Amino acid sequence: MNDTASPKTFLPYGRQQIDAEDEQAVLDVLRGDWLTTGPAVDAYEEAFADRVGAQHAVACSSGTAGLHMAAIAIGLDFGDVVVVPSVTFLATANAVRYVNADVLFADVDPETGLVGAEQIARAIAGLSEGTVKAIFPVHLTGHTVDIASLRSAFPHLAMVEDACHALGGEYDAGKGMVPVGSCPLGGITMFSTHPVKTIATGEGGVLTTNSQVLANRLRWARNHGMVREPERFQNRVMGFENGEAAPWYYEMHLPGYNYRLSDVNAALGLSQLRKLDRFVARRRALRQRYAERIDALGPHVAMQKVAQGCNPAWHLAVALIDFAALGTTRTAVMNALRDRGIGTQVHYIPVHRQPYYAKRYGPLNLPGADAYYARCLSLPLFPAMEESDVDRVVDELADVLKL
C-alpha cells in the first residue's frame, strides 16, 4: 500500500494513516471471540500507560466521553466552577456542563493559543475562595501548557489536561522533560484517538492517571457505574453465598454511562501505538518545513509561535495570517485553496463566543483568544505527506495571498 500523498491529490488538513499491519490487527479481532470490551482493550490500555509513563490508562469511546468521565471522577457537581481556555473544541467546556458545574472561560496567549497561570489568575480574580474547583488546560495543536507553573500557582485545584492534540509530546514538569500523559503533578490527562489525531482508533479516547482512586472512578463512569470486585461490594448479603462471591453479582455505586471502547477499536489503536514515534517524527519534520517556508513570506504571515518548555508532537500546522492587512478574508483564502486541492480548517472558534455560553455567562473580553482566532489557519499535516506537499501548500497560499 502506498500511503504517500501525490502532488495532484487533495490534501485535507489531517487524516489517518492505516497500513496492512493495522488491517490485520482488526481482522484478528473480528475472527476471534471478543468484539466488545475484552483482552484487546486490556492490552491497549497497558501499552498506552507504559508508552506515556503513567500508572493507569483507561480507554473510552471518544475524547468527549473521556472529558465527561474525568469530570465525574474528580467529583464536579452543582455550584462548582471550572476554568477552561476559550480557544479549544466545544467538548472541553461541554463536559463541565454535563455534570452541572459552570465554566469560567480564561483568555490565552495570542501567539501560542495556550492558557497560562496569568490568564487563569485574571479569570478567577474576585471569586470567593473555594468556588473554583478545577482547571481544564488544553495542549493546543501539539505544544503544551506550562503545567508546572499551573500546579505551583493553583496547588489546591483539581486538574484535567485536555491533551487531544499532544500524544507523543513532552513538557518540562519542573525537574526535566516528561511525556504528556505521565501526570507527574497529579490529576488526569485525556487523549483523543479520532482519525485526524496522532494515532487513530476510529473514534476513541484514553485517560491516564497515577491515582488508583481516580482510575477506579473513571472505569465506573465508563461502564454504567458497575462494580464487580467482591472486595468493594456494599451489600454483603446479596454479593456472597456461604462466604463465596456470587459470580454473577455486580453493584452500582454511582450512575455511569456506556462509554466503553470495543476490542475492534482497541486492536487498531494498539497497532497504531507501535508507530507513534514514527508518526511524531514525521509530523515534526513536516512542521519544521512549514516554519522554514511560511516565516519567509513576510510580516503578515507566520507560523504559530512554539511555547517554551515543551517538545511538541504536532497535531496541527497553524499559520497566523493578518488577513485584513493583506486585503483579503479567511473565507476567500480557504475557498481559493480548496479549489486548488488544499483543505484547511480553523481551530478554534473561541467557545465563549458560542451562543449558548454567551447567553449563559454574558459578554466576555478575552482579547488574546479573539486575536488568535482572527488569524489562525490550520494547514495540511499528516504523516503520509512529503516535503513537496508542504511546498505545494505554501506556494499556493502565497499565490492566493498575492505575496
Side-chain angles (χ1 to χ4, degrees), residues 112-128:
T112 67
L114 297 176
V115 72
E118 180 182 350
Q119 289 94 347
I120 293 174
R122 286 203 305 265
I124 66 177
L127 295 181
S128 58

Side-chain angles (χ1 to χ4, degrees), residues 16-353:
Q16 73 278 6
Q17 184 171 346
I18 304 296
D19 61 17
E21 182 184 68
D22 299 320
E23 294 168 358
Q24 188 61 52
V26 172
L27 283 173
D28 289 345
V29 168
L30 292 174
R31 292 167 178 163
D33 295 329
W34 293 80
L35 290 182
T36 188
T37 307
V41 171
D42 293 339
Y44 177 47
E45 290 179 338
E46 182 178 351
F48 199 101
D50 183 66
R51 176 59 180 80
V52 304
Q55 293 183 27
H56 307 280
V58 180
C60 58
S61 56
S62 70
T64 303
L67 287 166
H68 188 190
M69 289 161 54
I72 294 169
I74 64 174
L76 295 178
D77 207 340
F78 283 104
D80 293 330
V81 173
V82 178
V83 181
V84 174
S86 186
V87 176
T88 185
F89 184 54
L90 301 171
T92 318
N94 288 352
V96 175
R97 295 295 302 132
Y98 293 162
V99 293
N100 300 304
D102 275 302
V103 179
L104 181 63
F105 288 110
D107 206 357
V108 300
D109 184 288
E111 302 302 319
T112 67
L114 297 176
V115 72
E118 180 182 350
Q119 289 94 347
I120 293 174
R122 286 203 305 265
I124 66 177
L127 295 181
S128 58
E129 187 174 352
T131 302
V132 177
K133 185 164 185 178
I135 308 169
F136 280 25
V138 177
H139 300 311
L140 189 71
T141 73
H143 63 172
T144 59
V145 172
D146 185 350
I147 296 298
S149 71
L150 297 193
R151 178 50 69 211
S152 175
F154 310 103
H156 58 294
L157 298 182
M159 189 178 299
V160 175
E161 299 174 46
D162 183 334
C164 282
H165 295 185
L167 179 59
E170 300 173 310
Y171 63 79
D172 188 346
K175 296 182 180 179
M177 302 294 282
V178 299
V180 177
S182 57
C183 304
L185 302 175
I188 298 170
T189 303
M190 188 282 299
F191 298 92
S192 168
T193 52
H194 180 278
V196 298
K197 301 303 194 301
T198 312
I199 68 169
T201 59
E203 287 281 2
V206 185
L207 302 108
T208 60
T209 184
N210 294 324
S211 165
Q212 183 68 64
V213 171
L214 289 175
N216 289 341
R217 290 175 181 170
L218 290 170
R219 292 191 172 98
W220 296 341
R222 175 178 67 180
N223 191 25
H224 302 285
M226 293 170 62
V227 175
R228 292 188 179 273
E229 297 83 1
E231 64 273 16
R232 295 199 178 103
F233 291 165
Q234 295 179 7
N235 189 326
R236 310 298 291 182
V237 174
M238 292 186 67
F240 294 85
E241 291 186 328
N242 295 327
E244 270 192 292
W248 71 88
Y249 186 70
Y250 58 85
E251 292 182 345
M252 189 188 83
H253 298 168
L254 57 82
Y257 296 82
N258 181 357
Y259 282 161
R260 299 186 300 268
L261 190 73
S262 76
D263 264 32
V264 176
N265 300 99
L268 176 57
L270 185 57
S271 179
Q272 289 263 296
L273 192 62
R274 298 187 186 105
K275 295 181 268 287
L276 176 60
D277 289 340
R278 173 160 58 89
F279 287 167
V280 169
R282 190 69 190 138
R283 287 174 173 275
R284 284 172 174 160
L286 293 167
R287 206 275 183 185
Q288 178 60 33
R289 181 70 170 183
Y290 269 123
E292 293 167 358
R293 293 293 317 278
I294 290 288
D295 289 343
L297 293 183
H300 302 304
V301 185
M303 289 301 287
Q304 173 194 36
K305 183 180 176 181
V306 183
Q308 293 183 345
C310 70
N311 184 20
W314 294 106
H315 163 51
L316 298 172
V318 174
L320 299 181
I321 303 171
D322 189 337
F323 297 99
L326 293 169
T328 187
T329 66
R330 184 162 47 195
T331 298
V333 171
M334 293 179 72
N335 288 339
L337 289 174
R338 183 194 60 220
D339 291 342
R340 299 175 185 217
I342 296 169
T344 56
Q345 189 53 274
V346 174
H347 297 89
Y348 293 101
I349 303 169
V351 187
H352 77 280
R353 297 289 187 182

